Amino acid sequence: MKPDISFAHLRRLSDDTGLFEHARGAVPRREHGYCLDDVARGLLVICREPEPDAGLTALAETYLAFVAHAQDPDGSFHNRLGLDRLWHDEPGVGDWWGRALWALGTAAVRGPQPWIRSAALAMFDSGAVLRSPWSRSNTFAALGAAEILAVDPGHEGARKLLADAARLIGAPRADDAWPWPEPWLSYANAAPAEVLIAAGHLLDDKRLLADGLTLLGWLLDAQTRDGHLSLTPAGGHGRGWTGPGFDQQPIEAAALADACARALAVTGADRWEAGLARAMAWFLGMNDSGIPLADQSTGGCCDGLEREGRNENQGAESTLALISTFQHGRNQPKERLA
């Protein structure tokens, strides 16, 4: 069954400046302003649409303008813009830098207008010369590099960024119980595995590909309980943890969907199709609490799964995680995900 994708709540959260970060229920909380993290996610999902309508294309233009305004001449980015339209931080290379490059790499390849693709590539090139001291930031940026390398294998900036991120992630540990290269599962945990898979595939490195598939398989198994996803909670966990834990975040399901979709495209193996199906089902109630997070009446997604309920607020990150996951499901052949 193909999932229905609604952009209604994304439109509700957006204005002519960008995308509001938070909501009270389905009502945007304007007082909290905007963040590049979410605007970049918004640009990414619209550029993944094969035939965006005029309204979505206009949103992509608004989001791209926000990203351009956020970028410093040295390639770094501001993250937080207030309702007063003033930046409330200094430019940096935190996760927002990585997510901006991920979105720009996607827009450079899949943007709905030629000028969007050209502008996004120029901004990507400016930011891709930098590196972050934080692993996840480089990981997110590398996913943008992978988008570009898939269509332009000779792009040296993207190639170097992807290779550097894969090297920093490292190989699986020689420990079947905890092969993860970090001592702690934190957030967007499938993204490092996806980078290794992308690097192995696009850089023609069989070892990296095998390492990424090994880590993704372990993570998928570790986050599956009784046939459904039981995600790493917001506080993370280390070796020996049994779970389930709460507050579970939609970003975790979306990261797994991203990685499983890539692994499925590279290998064609059924286990990755099953992982993607579990990620979609998590939003629809196949989870530890048996409660759906997708809200069909608003087009939004609740912000977290609790032991006996859900966080009813429908912020940008959660809604974009839902859209992103369902986009992957929609793109599978009809015989899959049946």
Side-chain angles (χ1 to χ4, degrees), residues 247-259:
D247 160 37
Q248 294 179 28
Q249 300 282 299
I251 188 178
E252 291 305 312
L256 271 174
D258 280 334

Side-chain angles (χ1 to χ4, degrees), residues 82-163:
L83 193 60
D84 55 8
R85 307 304 195 267
L86 298 175
W87 293 110
H88 292 188
D89 63 358
E90 295 299 322
V93 288
D95 283 1
W96 58 93
W97 164 82
R99 290 194 182 279
L101 291 190
W102 186 1
L104 290 169
T106 304
V109 172
R110 309 195 215 182
Q113 298 289 345
W115 75 266
I116 290 177
R117 298 192 290 272
S118 175
L121 181 60
M123 284 185 268
F124 175 89
D125 288 341
S126 177
V129 300
L130 303 176
R131 297 294 182 269
S132 174
W134 296 287
S135 175
R136 281 295 186 278
S137 305
N138 292 307
T139 294
F140 297 144
L143 292 172
E147 290 282 339
I148 292 174
L149 281 179
V151 299
D152 183 7
H155 192 289
E156 285 303 316
R159 177 174 290 269
K160 191 171 188 309
L161 178 55
L162 181 58

Side-chain angles (χ1 to χ4, degrees), residues 81-304:
L81 186 73
L83 193 60
D84 55 8
R85 307 304 195 267
L86 298 175
W87 293 110
H88 292 188
D89 63 358
E90 295 299 322
V93 288
D95 283 1
W96 58 93
W97 164 82
R99 290 194 182 279
L101 291 190
W102 186 1
L104 290 169
T106 304
V109 172
R110 309 195 215 182
Q113 298 289 345
W115 75 266
I116 290 177
R117 298 192 290 272
S118 175
L121 181 60
M123 284 185 268
F124 175 89
D125 288 341
S126 177
V129 300
L130 303 176
R131 297 294 182 269
S132 174
W134 296 287
S135 175
R136 281 295 186 278
S137 305
N138 292 307
T139 294
F140 297 144
L143 292 172
E147 290 282 339
I148 292 174
L149 281 179
V151 299
D152 183 7
H155 192 289
E156 285 303 316
R159 177 174 290 269
K160 191 171 188 309
L161 178 55
L162 181 58
D164 286 350
R167 184 177 66 254
L168 289 170
I169 290 166
R173 299 184 186 206
D175 181 351
D176 290 341
W178 191 269
W180 200 248
E182 301 167 331
W184 192 260
L185 287 174
S186 54
Y187 64 100
N189 290 294
E194 184 184 358
V195 165
L196 294 182
I197 294 168
H201 177 60
L202 295 168
L203 304 179
D204 195 24
D205 188 320
K206 293 181 179 179
R207 180 189 61 80
L208 284 177
L209 176 58
D211 287 349
L213 293 170
T214 294
L215 289 177
L216 180 58
W218 176 81
L219 184 65
L220 185 59
D221 289 344
Q223 296 193 110
T224 297
R225 178 189 303 271
D226 299 328
H228 65 260
L229 288 187
S230 180
L231 298 172
T232 300
H237 70 79
R239 182 188 176 98
W241 184 82
T242 57
F246 304 90
D247 160 37
Q248 294 179 28
Q249 300 282 299
I251 188 178
E252 291 305 312
L256 271 174
D258 280 334
C260 285
R262 187 178 296 273
L264 180 58
V266 170
T267 71
D270 288 345
R271 73 178 303 190
W272 311 123
E273 176 224 339
L276 176 54
R278 273 179 237 159
M280 289 192 294
W282 182 86
F283 287 97
L284 299 175
M286 291 290 291
N287 52 49
D288 286 320
S289 299
I291 297 171
L293 280 84
D295 186 338
Q296 294 183 352
S297 68
T298 66
C301 178
C302 296
D303 281 348

